[in-house]
């Protein structure tokens, strides 16, 4: 009989927890519960399916020595302002649907990488000038929502060795690299067509990583089963003891060529 108050207290506590969960779900914005990724923002603040809130929150676990700095300006302006970027040992992560840069931005990116820094770019459509200078070409394919396939992203590296693949029911990126410079480029991953979509390019003393699948940074992808391991794998190549870690929250807001300095995008358009 003495155990009854304990059961009663436990039942009341459980009821309160259930009510809090139900109340929380009822109070959520329907957009936050949507699994539609056709207009993914890749923003660190976005908690919807196509946002990168979860990825951004994971970064301190992967880079424990320094806090992650958020960049909201074009690369040229950041490079001019942040003197730390002129020296080796930095990591810069950029995730966006399309990369619209200026010629000065591209020059600054290469100048940043040269002394021994790392630039990680996850995009569907690369900047044409950057692709030209790094000697790679891509084949653009439609990004599909909710298509059943064996895997959506695969990681392959015989030097480790590594052979892992990940799946989910969200957006699938079909773009891939048609040509790369084998003297400077290492292929690290493939898309659902088993075509190369993740590469590392050696540039002077640094490295540039290009992943043609930014959806691996989205909340919907990372929160599915063990998919957080995919982010850990693709970022494991970067310096975990980097002097400074930067997260770019500028280019994911660019939906057309920047005004002012002419870029390859502006010439093509």
């Amino acid at each position: 009989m003495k155990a009854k108050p304990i059961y009663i207290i436990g039942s009341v506590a459980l009821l309160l927890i259930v009510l809090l969960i139900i109340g929380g779900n009822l109070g959520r914005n329907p957009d936050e519960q949507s699994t539609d990724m056709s207009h993914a923002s890749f923003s660190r603040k976005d908690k919807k399916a196509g946002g990168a809130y979860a990825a951004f929150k994971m970064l301190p676990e992967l880079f424990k020595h320094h806090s992650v700095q958020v960049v909201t300006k074009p690369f040229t302006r950041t490079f001019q302002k942040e003197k730390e970027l002129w020296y080796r040992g930095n990591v810069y992560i950029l995730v966006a649907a399309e990369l619209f840069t200026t010629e000065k931005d591209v020059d600054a990116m290469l100048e940043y990488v040269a002394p021994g820094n790392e630039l990680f770019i996850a995009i569907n459509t690369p900047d044409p000038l950057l692709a030209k200078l790094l000697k790679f070409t891509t084949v653009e394919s439609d990004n599909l929502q909710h298509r059943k396939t064996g895997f959506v992203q695969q990681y392959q590296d015989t030097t480790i060795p590594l052979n892992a693949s990940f799946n989910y029911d969200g957006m699938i990126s079909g773009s891939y690299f048609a040509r790369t410079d084998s003297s400077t480029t290492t292929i690290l991953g493939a898309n659902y067509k088993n075509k190369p979509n993740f590469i590392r390019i050696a540039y002077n003393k640094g490295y540039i990583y290009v992943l043609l699948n930014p959806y691996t940074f989205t909340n919907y992808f990372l929160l599915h089963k063990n998919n957080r391991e995919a982010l850990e794998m693709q970022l494991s190549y970067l310096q975990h003891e980097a002097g400074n870690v930067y997260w770019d929250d500028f280019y994911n807001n660019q939906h057309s060529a920047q005004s002012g300095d002419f870029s390859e995008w502006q010439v093509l358009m």
Side-chain angles (χ1 to χ4, degrees):
M1 295 295 291
K2 291 182 180 179
K4 274 191 175 181
I6 297 175
Y7 291 126
I8 293 171
I9 293 171
S11 299
V12 172
L14 180 60
L15 178 61
L16 287 173
I17 292 171
V18 172
L19 289 173
L20 285 171
I21 293 172
I22 294 173
N25 287 334
L26 289 175
R28 286 182 181 175
N29 187 326
D31 289 340
E32 292 185 2
Q33 298 179 2
S34 172
T35 58
D36 181 15
M37 299 177 63
S38 56
H39 300 288
S41 70
F42 306 110
S43 169
R44 80 186 194 284
K45 294 182 179 180
D46 190 353
K47 297 181 181 179
K48 291 183 287 187
Y53 179 84
F56 183 76
K57 290 298 182 182
M58 282 179 61
L59 294 183
E61 300 176 23
L62 303 177
F63 303 97
K64 297 181 179 180
H65 293 273
H66 293 276
S67 60
V68 180
Q69 302 181 53
V70 178
V71 177
T72 58
K73 304 293 183 184
F75 195 93
T76 302
R77 291 176 60 182
T78 304
F79 186 68
Q80 291 171 346
K81 180 181 177 182
E82 299 289 334
K83 305 301 182 185
E84 293 87 352
L85 294 177
W86 299 3
Y87 307 99
R88 66 185 305 273
N90 299 291
V91 166
Y92 194 103
I93 301 171
L94 190 162
V95 185
E98 297 178 89
L99 183 56
F100 295 100
T101 66
T102 65
E103 188 174 345
K104 287 184 177 180
D105 285 343
V106 173
D107 289 342
M109 287 177 180
L110 297 181
E111 190 175 348
Y112 153 77
V113 173
N117 291 312
E118 293 175 315
L119 174 62
F120 192 106
I121 302 174
I123 44 174
N124 287 319
T125 307
D127 180 89
L129 178 58
L130 186 63
K132 180 180 178 181
L133 293 176
L134 296 178
K135 300 179 180 179
F136 68 77
T137 59
T138 61
V139 173
E140 291 188 36
S141 181
D142 292 335
N143 298 319
L144 307 171
Q145 177 82 18
H146 297 295
R147 173 170 175 171
K148 296 295 181 181
T149 182
F151 60 87
V152 298
Q153 184 60 47
Q154 185 176 19
Y155 302 94
Q156 302 167 324
D157 191 340
T158 56
T159 62
I160 299 179
L162 172 65
N163 189 350
S165 60
F166 297 86
N167 204 341
Y168 80 133
D169 293 330
M171 206 76 172
I172 300 176
S173 179
S175 298
Y176 59 91
F177 293 99
R179 181 181 65 86
T180 60
D181 183 355
S182 59
S183 66
T184 59
T185 304
T186 303
I187 295 174
L188 303 175
N191 64 8
Y192 74 97
K193 299 177 181 179
N194 209 27
K195 299 286 189 178
N197 74 340
F198 182 30
I199 60 174
R200 177 181 62 203
I201 303 169
Y203 185 80
N204 287 354
K205 297 180 181 180
Y207 292 98
I208 299 173
Y209 298 82
V210 184
L211 171 65
L212 300 179
N213 189 0
Y215 303 109
T216 58
F217 280 81
T218 61
N219 301 318
Y220 191 22
F221 176 84
L222 291 175
L223 298 179
H224 179 73
K225 294 184 178 180
N226 65 333
N227 282 1
R228 62 175 288 143
E229 293 179 9
L231 185 66
E232 293 171 354
M233 285 182 186
Q234 59 197 29
L235 296 184
S236 66
Y237 291 97
L238 303 176
Q239 308 171 63
H240 285 198
E241 297 185 1
N244 298 283
V245 180
Y246 297 85
W247 173 275
D248 187 283
D249 230 359
F250 172 78
Y251 291 100
N252 55 31
N253 289 310
Q254 300 301 302
H255 305 294
S256 61
Q258 299 176 52
S259 61
D261 214 18
F262 275 102
S263 67
E264 289 275 316
W265 274 115
Q266 288 169 297
V267 173
L268 288 173
M269 293 301 289

